[in-house]
Structures are given as structure tokens and as C-alpha cells.
Amino acid sequence: MGSHKRTPKHTGIGDPQSSSRSSSTDITHCSPSGTSSIQMYAPSEIHKTGRRMVCHRKGSSVVRGRGHISPCVKIEALPDNVLLDIFEFCLLDLFPDLDRERGWTSLGHVCRRWRFIVFGSPLRLDLCLLCTDRTPVKERLGVWPPLPIVIFTRGNSCDNIVAALEHPNRIRQIWFRGTRLSLDPFVAMMQEQSPALESLHLAIHDQTSGTMPPLPDTFLGGSAPRLQSLFLDHIPFPTLPKLLLSCNGLVDLSLLRTPHSGYISPEAMAACITALLSLESLDIGFESPASRPDPRSRRPPPLTRAVLVALTSFKFCGVSEYLEDLVAQIDAPRVGYISIILFSQLNLDTRQIPRFIGHASMFMSPSEVFMYFSPKGQIVMQFSTMGGRTEGEFLSLRTLCIGLDWQVSFVEQICSQFSFLLSGVKMLEIEGVYDDVESTWQTDMDHTQWLELFRPFTAVQTLRISRWLQPLIVSALQGVGEEMLTEVLPALDNLYLGEYEYHKRMGKMIESPYIKIVNLRTGRNTLKNPAPSASHPTRNH
């Protein structure tokens, strides 16, 4: 059987001139006369039209653009490796994870050849069987090849999930969100090792049935060597450090709203996370302030600290004493985002937290600081940069504290202890919200508290104040002489008095179209209708 090469006028899937491209794929097919020919296809063109080719399996042409028809080889003539490229594009790019099974089963039902191609590359196509509360698991496990299993359940059907859990060696992912009562039998079935498990998500959204008993140390057989993501929400697991000893490849660790029955000391937590060399995201949160270190067992900070070389995101919710003891033992030079939520407290005495943040080489000096005060006690302080390589928010601090005077005092402590971050801040935005008609701001506070809060912001050029805080802050600025004002805010040029209104139905602050601008250098007041800009994004609290 002879063969020859030819360069067609229209190269099949590519444009008429695509044969001149440097990147192409050789596709050999047999013509009706029995001779084979080779045409050149750019890989990008194959991917762009792969889905259309699958849909038009019987066709011999593909419509490209308006009124332009390019000749196309029949899809039966494509070699297996090209079909595999098309299948990979269709499955991985067009189907979400939980819907991917519908994609590959559809391909497998087309013909025997396609079924061999699909099942011949299970890793490349990421084939798995999805087991849900409504899935007839026993029937499906008996029909398809022994593919990895993904369990997605809300605890509504125990029989289907139990049938899937009977194959622990095949389970790749587990996602559970339900009640404590529905989780109990689920956990009882998970006492064997799952060597293929890569992701585990357990969450309880209803606490009316009481706190869940702690997970036993035999959970997952005490080992999960391939685990990459672990998410526990309101799940006590005091022996977690033992399990993490086997999770060398863990990338994401989230322990949210941990009950006191699942308390793990800062020393034990630091010891287990420092062994996770691939850990990129760490989220630790407790349910109540009861989860705090015993003052009698607290030790001085160690002389040397373990380095989390891969950590880029760190979140914490709890008491400051726990956070202090935890970060005193670790460094994370690559961390680029930190979120800290502290339970209600009036005084803040931190030494290790500023050190931990200061040692993060990814942190740039913020150019903007945002403060939010609420009559109901919520305080938010966000540090962000605008422009440069790490544009965006990188540090967020939150707590609850009733009384505006106490709130301002708490933020003043933060500004004092984190003063090294404030030297380059150019814009300071302060927002307060009048949450309902019955709520009122405390007006008997000493206005000089605002001046002490402003002192670390020596480079601020623009100060933005929301409507509900204007009388308090402006009166504090007006109550001092020009020399004092220059000393407190030496670089301040413009004072933006924005008219903010709170819309309960929308659940967020809406800025009016006009802002009063007070130029402190010239004393001139103007009204401006500002165009939306990236420098003042809408914030949700």
C-alpha cells in the first residue's frame, strides 16, 4: 500500500495557511482509494474544535465563522492519540469535577473504540465514579471498571454511602455536610485505611443535636498517605496530629469551629504542621474562647523556629494567647495572606504575631488601611496594597468589642503593635454603620482617642470618613490646633467626607454619588462625583 505526503489547500481543522505554522500535529488517515495521507493540524485548532468534532461525528465539514466552511476529515479517521487529546479537553475543561462522570460515560457509549480509548487512560482523563445519596451504588460498581470513587453526601441515604465505603482502597474523595446524627454511622464505617484518599471534607451544619463525640484515633486506620486536602468543620479530633504524621503530601488543612473537646495545644499543633513540607494553606479556628492555653503550662518562645517553606495562606480564629504560642514556634517566609479573628477581648498584648508577620518576605508595606466599626461590636482592620506585584488585601484583623471607645482603643493597640506596617500607608479609610434605628453610637468618648489612633499614620495623604463617624472624627480634628494636627497627620492633604447610607435589604454600605472633599492645605471645600476606581473597591463585612 503506497503512501505519500501532500499539503492541502485547506488543512482540515486549521486555517488555509495553517500549514506554515511551526507547531502542528501529523494526522495520518486512509483515503477511500486505500492510500494514506498526512495532514497538518495545529494542536490549538484541535482543542478549539474538538467538542464540535465529537458532536458532528458523522459529518465531513465544520462551519467556521460566518458563511465559511472548511473541509474536515471524518472523526473516525483520527488516530487514537488525537481522539484522546479531544477527550481530555472535553472532560477536564468543559465538565466540572462532580459532573465529569456524565461526560466520560457519554463518550464510552458512542462505540467500542471510544470506550477502549477512555478506559485505557483513566489517569489522564481523571476517571472516577461519583457516589451520592441518590446513586444506585451497588449496581454502578458492578457495571463499570474498578475506578476511583468520589463520595458526595448530605447524609440522607445511608445505604448507598455504606455500599461505597465497603471499597476503602478505591475511595479518592469524601465530601460530607449534614447533621451529627447522620455523620455518626458514616464515621463508624471509616475505621479502615484508605490508601487512595486524597481529599476529606466533613462538616456539621446543625448543632441542635449536641456536640459530636471526638473522632477516634482509629479513624481512617490512623493513616492517609495520599491525603492532600483535609477540611473539618465543627468536628472534634484531638488525635489529629497522629494522623497527620502519615500525610506527607498534605497541601490544605482547615480545622474550623473546633469544639473544646477537640482542643489541640499550640505546641502539638506546631509540631505536626512543621512536618508537612507541602502545606500551602492553613486555617485553624475554635468554637469558643474556652479553647485557650493553660497559663501554668505556657513556655518562653524557643530560640529556633521551624520554617513552613510552602505556606502561602494562614487563617486563625480564636484567642490571642493561642495564636501567640503557635506562631512563636514557626516562620512562614512565603505567606502572602493572613486573616486573624480574635474572640472578644479589650486588651491586646502581642509580641510574636507582629514578628511572624514581619518575617514574611512576601509582605509589602501596605499603601491602604481600612477600618470598620459597628455598634454591635464588630471591628475590622484590613491592610492592602494597590499596584505592584502583590496588589490586593494581604492582612485582615477582626474582633468583637462593644462600645466605640473600647473599639477605638483596641484598634489603637493594633496600630501601635503593628506600626512597622504603617510607615508607607497613603490612604486611610474609616467606615462606621448605623445598623438599626435603635442603635446609637456612644458619644461621650474622649475625642483625643482618635488622635492617638492616627499617630502611626505619618505618611497618610488621604483620609476617608463615612457619614456616621463624621461628627466624632471631624470634631476631634477641629479641636486641636494646626500645629497638633500637623504633628498627628503631617502628610494629610485631603479629607473625604463620604455620604454613606446603609441598606438593610441589600446588606451592605452604599456610597452616595457625591463626596465632600476638604483640602486641608487650601481650606477649600468641593463636591465631587467620583468615578468608580480600583482604589476604592466595594467591601463586604
Side-chain angles (χ1 to χ4, degrees):
M1 182 180 295
S3 64
H4 65 277
K5 291 187 178 181
R6 63 184 178 91
T7 303
K9 183 177 181 181
H10 297 284
T11 59
I13 300 175
D15 294 330
Q17 304 300 325
S18 63
S19 59
S20 61
R21 297 179 183 175
S22 59
S23 178
S24 60
T25 298
D26 292 349
I27 297 180
T28 305
H29 67 278
C30 295
S31 65
S33 62
T35 60
S36 62
S37 61
I38 297 179
Q39 297 188 13
M40 307 296 289
Y41 297 90
S44 59
E45 297 298 327
I46 292 176
H47 289 307
K48 287 179 181 177
T49 59
R51 188 181 185 187
R52 182 169 294 174
M53 289 176 65
V54 173
C55 295
H56 295 80
R57 178 172 174 265
K58 299 298 184 181
S60 59
S61 64
V62 175
V63 177
R64 295 179 53 80
R66 294 184 177 180
H68 178 71
I69 299 179
S70 297
C72 177
V73 67
K74 289 185 177 181
I75 199 167
E76 290 92 337
L78 295 177
D80 291 356
N81 63 319
V82 176
L83 286 175
L84 184 59
D85 286 340
I86 296 174
F87 295 168
E88 181 182 18
F89 168 76
C90 293
L91 293 178
L92 302 186
D93 290 1
L94 302 180
F95 288 91
D97 291 343
L98 295 180
D99 197 33
R100 191 166 298 155
E101 181 179 342
R102 183 172 62 89
W104 65 258
T105 53
S106 299
L107 292 174
H109 280 113
V110 172
C111 64
R112 180 179 299 178
R113 180 192 176 201
W114 283 27
R115 187 157 53 249
F116 287 161
I117 294 175
V118 169
F119 291 142
S121 302
L123 295 179
R124 180 172 174 180
L125 299 181
D126 195 26
L127 302 186
C128 60
L129 293 174
L130 177 62
C131 299
T132 67
D133 295 328
R134 299 181 179 181
T135 303
V137 175
K138 292 184 178 180
E139 297 178 8
R140 305 190 74 177
L141 294 179
V143 172
W144 296 109
L147 297 172
I149 297 174
V150 173
I151 298 176
F152 183 92
T153 177
R154 298 185 183 275
N156 299 325
S157 176
C158 185
D159 293 340
N160 287 329
I161 304 304
V162 167
L165 291 174
E166 291 175 351
H167 304 269
N169 293 334
R170 294 170 55 185
I171 298 176
R172 176 191 291 177
Q173 298 180 29
I174 297 176
W175 192 98
F176 174 94
R177 182 174 292 270
T179 64
R180 183 187 74 83
L181 296 179
S182 62
L183 181 60
D184 286 343
F186 190 70
V187 171
M189 288 288 298
M190 299 177 62
Q191 302 304 308
E192 296 185 34
Q193 290 189 6
S194 298
L197 186 64
E198 297 178 358
S199 176
L200 176 62
H201 180 118
L202 301 179
I204 295 179
H205 61 72
D206 179 18
Q207 288 86 49
T208 57
S209 56
T211 302
M212 177 182 172
L215 295 180
D217 57 2
T218 56
F219 182 68
L220 295 179
S223 176
R226 296 187 61 182
L227 193 65
Q228 298 179 16
S229 176
L230 177 59
F231 182 99
L232 302 179
D233 185 359
H234 208 264
I235 306 291
F237 194 4
T239 58
L240 174 65
K242 177 183 176 182
L243 176 66
L244 293 182
L245 291 176
S246 66
C247 305
N248 297 327
L250 193 68
V251 176
D252 300 311
L253 176 60
S254 297
L255 310 173
L256 309 184
R257 299 187 301 170
T258 303
H260 187 58
S261 58
Y263 177 78
I264 301 173
S265 69
E267 293 77 18
M269 182 65 71
C272 68
I273 63 176
T274 53
L276 304 175
L277 301 181
S278 301
L279 189 64
E280 297 179 3
S281 176
L282 177 62
D283 192 346
I284 300 175
F286 295 97
E287 185 181 34
S288 72
S291 299
R292 63 175 63 241
D294 185 351
R296 297 169 296 180
S297 62
R298 298 185 69 182
R299 306 171 184 173
L303 298 178
T304 59
R305 302 175 181 87
V307 179
L308 303 179
V309 293
L311 192 68
T312 58
S313 175
F314 176 71
K315 300 179 183 179
F316 176 82
C317 178
V319 297
S320 60
E321 294 89 346
Y322 189 101
L323 181 59
E324 275 281 287
D325 290 355
L326 176 63
V327 299
Q329 305 173 65
I330 60 176
D331 269 329
R334 294 190 58 198
V335 69
Y337 177 74
I338 296 178
S339 174
I340 299 174
I341 301 177
L342 300 177
F343 290 133
S344 302
Q345 58 185 94
L346 301 179
N347 297 313
L348 182 66
D349 183 15
T350 61
R351 294 178 177 84
Q352 300 301 324
I353 300 175
R355 179 206 59 78
F356 176 75
I357 296 174
H359 283 192
S361 58
M362 298 293 290
F363 273 24
M364 297 176 60
S365 178
S367 58
E368 299 187 7
V369 170
F370 170 76
M371 301 178 184
Y372 171 81
F373 300 91
S374 166
K376 293 184 177 180
Q378 185 181 20
I379 307 172
V380 180
M381 191 171 181
Q382 296 172 342
F383 300 77
S384 60
T385 60
M386 289 300 165
R389 183 167 56 90
T390 58
E391 178 176 355
E393 175 189 336
F394 63 79
L395 175 61
S396 175
L397 301 171
R398 297 170 182 256
T399 191
L400 288 175
C401 183
I402 302 298
L404 184 59
D405 53 346
W406 287 110
Q407 293 181 16
V408 174
S409 174
F410 184 83
V411 173
E412 178 188 338
Q413 296 176 60
I414 294 178
C415 292
S416 175
Q417 298 178 36
F418 291 80
S419 58
F420 65 95
L421 287 174
L422 307 179
S423 59
V425 175
K426 303 297 182 183
M427 193 193 80
L428 174 61
E429 183 174 355
I430 304 177
E431 182 178 310
V433 56
Y434 195 85
D435 285 311
D436 55 55
V437 178
E438 299 179 357
S439 297
T440 56
W441 282 111
Q442 180 177 341
T443 57
D444 58 350
M445 64 175 289
D446 186 355
H447 291 175
T448 59
Q449 284 186 259
W450 292 107
L451 301 180
E452 295 303 317
L453 184 149
F454 292 146
R455 283 188 184 277
F457 296 92
T458 56
V460 164
Q461 299 174 356
T462 300
L463 176 60
R464 294 169 57 91
I465 305 174
S466 68
R467 174 181 178 181
W468 302 111
L469 291 175
Q470 283 181 31
L472 301 176
I473 299 179
V474 173
S475 62
L477 296 176
Q478 291 176 342
V480 300
E482 183 177 351
E483 294 183 358
M484 176 64 73
L485 181 60
T486 303
E487 177 185 346
V488 175
L489 294 170
L492 185 63
D493 288 333
N494 294 315
L495 177 61
Y496 287 70
L497 304 180
E499 293 294 324
Y500 287 89
E501 298 178 0
Y502 184 72
H503 292 254
K504 272 191 172 182
R505 187 173 62 181
M506 299 184 67
K508 60 181 180 180
M509 296 295 296
I510 303 298
E511 187 177 2
S512 73
Y514 291 96
I515 292 180
K516 183 179 180 182
I517 303 176
V518 181
N519 190 298
L520 301 182
R521 304 296 183 188
T522 63
R524 182 181 302 172
N525 298 348
T526 59
L527 284 177
K528 182 180 180 182
N529 187 354
S533 65
S535 298
H536 306 101
T538 301
R539 293 179 169 90
N540 297 323
H541 311 297

